[in-house]
Amino acid sequence: MNKTDIKISSDLQKFIHKFEPSKFKLLAKGIEIRGINDLHRNISQAKALIESMKLNLTVSHNAEMVSYGGFEVNNI
């Protein structure tokens, strides 16, 4: 089994630095932020930050992620 290194894009690094998530998991296409209490507010803040900094990222969220208070921020 080959080990693949996950590389974080510069836009994603900028987002992590500014948003400062307390818990996140690296994914092949971005990160998954977990353990959020006010999910709607945090998703809105993440989208606003991405737009204001003109980052090539997108926010993804589905019903399954609600169970653990999470959403994804992915590279475009």
Side-chain angles (χ1 to χ4, degrees), residues 7-18 57 75:
K7 296 188 180 189
I8 301 175
S9 70
S10 62
D11 282 352
L12 195 54
Q13 287 175 343
K14 290 175 189 175
F15 176 83
I16 292 169
H17 180 71
K18 275 289 205 195
L57 302 172
N75 294 304

Side-chain angles (χ1 to χ4, degrees), residues 22-63:
S22 60
K23 292 192 281 186
F24 66 92
K25 176 182 174 184
L26 284 175
L27 305 171
K29 58 188 176 202
I31 62 170
E32 181 179 56
I33 299 172
R34 299 174 166 220
I36 302 295
N37 290 332
D38 189 350
L39 198 55
H40 179 38
R41 188 183 97 227
N42 279 271
I43 289 173
S44 296
Q45 287 177 339
K47 287 179 179 181
L49 180 62
I50 290 167
E51 186 177 325
S52 71
M53 294 180 69
K54 297 182 184 355
L55 302 174
N56 289 322
L57 302 172
T58 184
V59 174
S60 174
H61 175 70
N62 62 40

